């Protein structure tokens, strides 16, 4: 069964990893070039999926593996407004799905099972100048879920029935990560930070790369250092950002090799099993009065008898 295995949003481009019949692929946006590319997980076989003839200034992407389709946000130059487009993964059937009301660099996320697309529209919805919306996958039935302040990236937790998005605070210079139910109810702020560039599922992304590195040297992924992997990613990201596409496979292979070098020392197995720390017993439950131990009423000399 086709399914999305990892999704992460990064400052430079947006990346998705998808499992399809032909194998796992990584998809990313080269915003300045106006292209959406894909490659094998090891960085080989880079192929353009969407080019400048198909779109303009692509930004956020989302994948529908059930329909072998890709969705992305872009800009319609003829109208100077944003839009959501989609195409098949074989580059056929490029079409506009949802037109925006303003110049849009919002995010997009999909719920293929329910047949819904969720997206942020930073230039609509008075009075906050932005909102979170959803529509059917064909673009019909657009509805406003939550008013927001120029929201951008968005991600879904389908298991918990939540939508998460990033937006700047309307009261301070901080940025916010907010969430709501998939119907837009119970909106709340879950994180406030001075700089939010996207909603990061970073932990799983790093663990995925650690798994790839462990497989390459045939060791248990738990033998690799998470902190070391994060440091490698921070060191490699600027190099990959500046490198031409033809050299990305080389950097990717070197990054995986470097992550594999961050070994942890062998750890002893657990001695004591994980057990319930408190269970039923014949002893009475300790109550507040038990903490007030009666104090002696006589002196020490009077209390000791020899």
């Amino acid at each position: 069964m086709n399914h999305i295995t990892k999704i992460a949003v990064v400052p430079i481009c947006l990346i998705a990893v998808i499992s399809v019949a032909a194998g796992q692929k990584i998809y990313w946006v080269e915003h300045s070039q106006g292209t959406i590319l894909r490659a094998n997980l090891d960085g080989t076989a880079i192929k353009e999926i969407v080019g400048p003839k198909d779109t303009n200034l692509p930004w956020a992407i989302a994948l529908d593996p059930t329909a072998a389709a890709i969705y992305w946000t872009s800009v319609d130059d003829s109208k100077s407004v944003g839009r959501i487009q989609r195409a098949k993964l074989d580059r056929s059937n490029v079409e506009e799905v949802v037109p925006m009301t303003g110049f849009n660099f919002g995010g997009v996320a999909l719920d293929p099972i329910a047949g819904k697309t969720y997206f942020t529209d930073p230039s609509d919805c008075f009075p906050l100048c932005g909102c979170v919306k959803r529509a059917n996958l064909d673009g019909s039935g657009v509805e406003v879920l939550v008013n927001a302040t120029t929201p951008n990236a968005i991600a879904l937790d389908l298991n918990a029935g939540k939508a998460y998005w990033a937006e700047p605070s309307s009261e301070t210079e901080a940025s916010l990560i907010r969430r709501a139910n998939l119907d837009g109810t119970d909106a709340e702020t879950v994180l406030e930070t001075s700089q939010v560039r996207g909603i990061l599922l970073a932990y799983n992304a790093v663990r995925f790369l650690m798994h790839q590195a462990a497989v390459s040297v045939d060791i248990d992924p738990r033998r690799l250092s998470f902190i070391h992997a994060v440091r490698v990613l921070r060191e490699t990201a600027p190099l990959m950002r500046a490198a031409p596409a033809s050299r990305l496979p080389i950097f990717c292979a070197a990054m995986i090799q470097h992550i594999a070098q961050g070994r942890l020392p062998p750890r002893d197995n657990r001695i004591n099993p994980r057990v319930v720390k408190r269970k039923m017993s014949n002893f009475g439950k300790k109550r507040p009065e038990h903490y007030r131990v009666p104090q002696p009423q006589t002196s020490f000399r009077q209390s000791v008898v020899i």
Side-chain angles (χ1 to χ4, degrees):
M1 179 178 177
N2 294 338
H3 61 281
I4 295 176
T5 56
K6 293 286 186 296
I7 293 179
V9 182
V10 296
I12 304 308
C13 57
L14 286 98
I15 297 176
V17 179
I18 183 175
S19 177
V20 294
Q24 289 187 327
K25 302 289 184 181
I26 184 169
Y27 292 74
W28 72 96
V29 174
E30 290 194 357
H31 178 67
S32 60
Q33 302 299 319
T35 58
I36 300 175
L37 307 175
R38 81 172 179 199
N40 296 328
L41 293 185
D42 60 2
T44 60
I46 296 176
K47 181 179 180 180
E48 182 180 284
I49 300 300
V50 177
K53 293 182 180 180
D54 306 313
T55 190
N56 183 49
L57 296 177
W59 189 251
I61 59 175
L63 295 162
D64 179 1
T66 61
I70 184 169
Y71 289 66
W72 68 94
T73 58
S74 64
V75 175
D76 184 348
D77 273 345
S78 63
K79 302 177 183 178
S80 297
V81 295
R83 59 185 174 179
I84 295 177
Q85 294 179 270
R86 71 177 175 185
K88 292 293 185 179
L89 295 180
D90 62 3
R91 200 171 182 170
S92 63
N93 299 333
V94 177
E95 60 180 337
E96 179 180 298
V97 180
V98 180
M100 302 291 184
T101 57
F103 190 87
N104 175 60
F105 275 129
V108 60
L110 303 178
D111 182 356
I113 303 301
K116 295 291 185 179
T117 175
Y118 291 75
F119 55 98
T120 55
D121 192 342
S123 305
D124 193 16
C125 301
F126 180 84
L128 295 181
C129 188
C131 53
V132 178
K133 299 180 178 180
R134 75 175 173 186
N136 297 322
L137 290 177
D138 63 1
S140 63
V142 177
E143 54 183 324
V144 176
L145 298 181
V146 182
N147 287 328
T149 305
T150 57
N152 42 77
I154 186 171
L156 303 179
D157 181 353
L158 297 179
N159 290 331
K162 296 287 186 179
Y164 290 74
W165 68 92
E167 65 174 90
S169 172
S170 59
E171 299 178 354
T172 68
E173 296 182 357
S175 295
L176 309 174
I177 291 181
R178 307 195 71 215
R179 71 179 176 187
N181 297 328
L182 293 180
D183 61 1
T185 59
D186 297 333
E188 60 180 342
T189 299
V190 296
L191 179 64
E192 182 172 344
T193 178
S194 59
Q195 185 179 21
V196 175
R197 297 301 183 190
I199 298 177
L200 306 178
L201 303 180
Y203 179 81
N204 285 335
V206 175
R207 287 294 183 188
F208 180 73
L209 290 174
M210 292 172 64
H211 171 75
Q212 295 293 107
V215 169
S216 70
V217 293
D218 194 25
I219 65 171
D220 189 328
R222 292 173 295 182
R223 289 290 312 280
L224 297 181
S225 167
F226 183 87
I227 294 177
H228 173 78
V230 172
R231 288 171 178 167
V232 172
L233 285 170
R234 294 185 65 181
E235 293 171 358
T236 309
L239 301 177
M240 297 184 72
R241 183 163 64 245
S246 60
R247 294 187 59 83
L248 289 179
I250 299 175
F251 281 105
C252 184
M255 178 178 63
I256 295 296
Q257 183 179 11
H258 194 181
I259 290 175
Q261 295 174 359
R263 309 287 178 88
L264 295 172
R267 300 178 181 179
D268 295 333
N269 291 327
R270 179 178 293 275
I271 299 175
N272 298 317
R274 294 184 183 275
V275 297
V276 178
K277 294 183 178 180
R278 179 176 180 177
K279 58 183 179 180
M280 296 296 295
S281 70
N282 294 325
F283 293 97
K285 184 178 180 181
K286 183 175 284 188
R287 300 186 181 279
E289 58 266 28
H290 296 135
Y291 292 95
R292 296 190 290 271
V293 180
Q295 299 299 309
Q297 302 299 316
T298 59
S299 67
F300 179 76
R301 179 181 297 272
Q302 293 172 330
S303 300
V304 176
V305 178
I306 300 178

